[in-house]
Amino acid sequence: MIPLHKDNQEEGVCPICQESLKEAVSTNCGHLFCRVCLTQHVEKASASGVFCCPLCRKPCSEEVLGTGYICPNHQKRVCRFCEESRLLLCVECLVSPEHVSHHELTIENALSHYKERLNRRSRKLRKDIAELQRLKAQEEKKLQALQFQVDHGNHRLEAGLESQHQTREQLDALPQQWLGQLEHMPAEVARILDISRAVTQLSSLVIDLERTAKELDTNTLKNAGDLLNRSAPQKLEIIYPQLEKRVNELLFQPSSEKR
């Protein structure tokens, strides 16, 4: 084990992990530690029933961890996270009928587990955003092609009106050649706007996921669960209906059609 150094206190370094203090917590004797580091120390010391400062060994109260680390029902240190109720539990909560059949994780494992899930979900959404942007580019290309056909039709009609070599029947037939294409333009524009909105909303979720993963601690575990639920695939279907189907259609198109 790396020895604890008192000098580190002056440098803003946690004596336990010897890294920059994160969510600094002060013990009763005034020493500073990362909240997570001190929580883990308390968990290991709970077997003896005595919680002492890791640096000077003076007795301390578990309340220094903060209100989020103390069970509001039993005034004891929380030690587990219940995935069903998304609540922090103490040893007395664990034996209550309400939680006996639930699945609980140690706080340390819960933090690691949810951080990995948040990062994995973020990577998945970034991939979806990239595919949506490719789909948007394809739709914009279609719209440009339609616009070109309409503009070209207008030009031919204007040229025909000035020409003496086209009959009235030929001139009347020209608009019909591109009128059908013109009718498709509003649908193409609507699809592009739908994709743009989906990209914006997914990007916002990615920001929330990455920030929550970076700042995850005991107090925000419940928020992590709520965010994972909000960004679940079945919820994203509301943001952009048939997202997976449209993306897969794009991915499996012949290369000649994508150009």
Side-chain angles (χ1 to χ4, degrees):
M1 179 183 292
I2 299 175
L4 303 183
H5 297 290
K6 295 183 179 181
D7 292 342
N8 285 343
Q9 291 290 284
E10 300 177 0
E11 303 169 6
V13 173
C14 173
I16 295 178
C17 67
Q18 297 195 351
E19 295 182 1
S20 297
L21 287 165
K22 299 174 183 176
E23 272 197 282
V25 176
S26 175
T27 57
N28 300 101
C29 50
H31 293 125
L32 297 175
F33 302 88
C34 296
R35 190 185 296 274
V36 171
C37 292
L38 191 59
T39 301
Q40 293 173 357
H41 171 77
V42 172
E43 289 179 356
K44 293 175 182 178
S46 60
S48 64
V50 179
F51 168 39
C52 297
C53 171
L55 201 58
C56 67
R57 312 307 300 171
K58 290 182 179 179
C60 294
S61 167
E62 294 181 355
E63 294 181 358
V64 300
L65 294 173
T67 55
Y69 288 73
I70 303 298
C71 174
N73 297 323
H74 305 107
Q75 302 305 310
K76 293 182 179 294
R77 177 182 52 81
V78 294
C79 57
R80 294 289 189 277
F81 178 72
C82 175
E83 292 202 279
E84 281 79 5
S85 65
R86 295 180 186 169
L87 294 174
L88 295 169
L89 310 177
C90 70
V91 290
E92 291 192 26
C93 294
L94 292 174
V95 297
S96 67
E98 180 183 358
H99 297 286
V100 167
S101 61
H102 289 179
H103 180 244
E104 293 96 12
L105 297 170
T106 65
I107 292 178
E108 183 178 2
N109 287 343
L111 290 171
S112 175
H113 172 70
Y114 277 91
K115 182 171 290 188
E116 171 56 29
R117 288 185 62 189
L118 288 165
N119 287 327
R120 188 165 61 243
R121 182 65 54 78
S122 173
R123 291 193 294 269
K124 172 62 168 61
L125 292 190
R126 282 192 175 278
K127 181 179 178 181
D128 285 346
I129 289 172
E131 299 302 342
L132 276 173
Q133 289 172 333
R134 291 175 58 190
L135 183 60
K136 180 184 175 183
Q138 185 187 52
E139 297 290 351
E140 289 174 339
K141 187 176 181 180
K142 290 180 182 178
L143 182 61
Q144 290 174 358
L146 287 174
Q147 185 65 54
F148 175 79
Q149 291 178 19
V150 171
D151 292 343
H152 184 62
N154 283 332
H155 178 72
R156 289 183 60 190
L157 182 59
E158 291 172 358
L161 292 174
E162 298 174 359
S163 174
Q164 301 298 321
H165 303 291
Q166 289 185 291
T167 66
R168 180 66 184 179
E169 290 75 15
Q170 289 174 319
L171 291 177
D172 289 342
L174 283 174
Q176 300 301 320
Q177 297 175 9
W178 50 266
L179 187 58
Q181 301 290 346
L182 183 62
E183 293 175 349
H184 293 297
M185 291 183 67
E188 289 293 337
V189 172
R191 278 195 291 270
I192 291 171
L193 291 176
D194 284 343
I195 296 171
S196 296
R197 281 192 288 267
V199 168
T200 298
Q201 293 183 61
L202 292 182
S203 298
S204 179
L205 279 175
V206 167
I207 291 173
D208 289 343
L209 287 163
E210 293 179 348
R211 181 177 61 246
T212 302
K214 183 178 180 180
E215 301 174 355
L216 189 64
D217 60 23
T218 304
N219 290 317
T220 57
L221 273 172
K222 182 180 184 302
N223 295 339
D226 292 341
L227 183 55
L228 286 168
N229 181 59
R230 183 155 54 93
S231 60
Q234 58 269 29
K235 296 295 179 66
L236 298 184
E237 187 72 13
I238 299 174
I239 294 179
Y240 190 69
Q242 299 183 325
L243 167 62
E244 295 293 336
K245 179 181 177 181
R246 293 185 65 80
V247 169
N248 287 335
E249 287 175 352
L250 171 65
L251 292 176
F252 291 104
Q253 280 182 356
S255 56
S256 59
E257 294 184 23
K258 294 183 183 180
R259 294 191 185 110

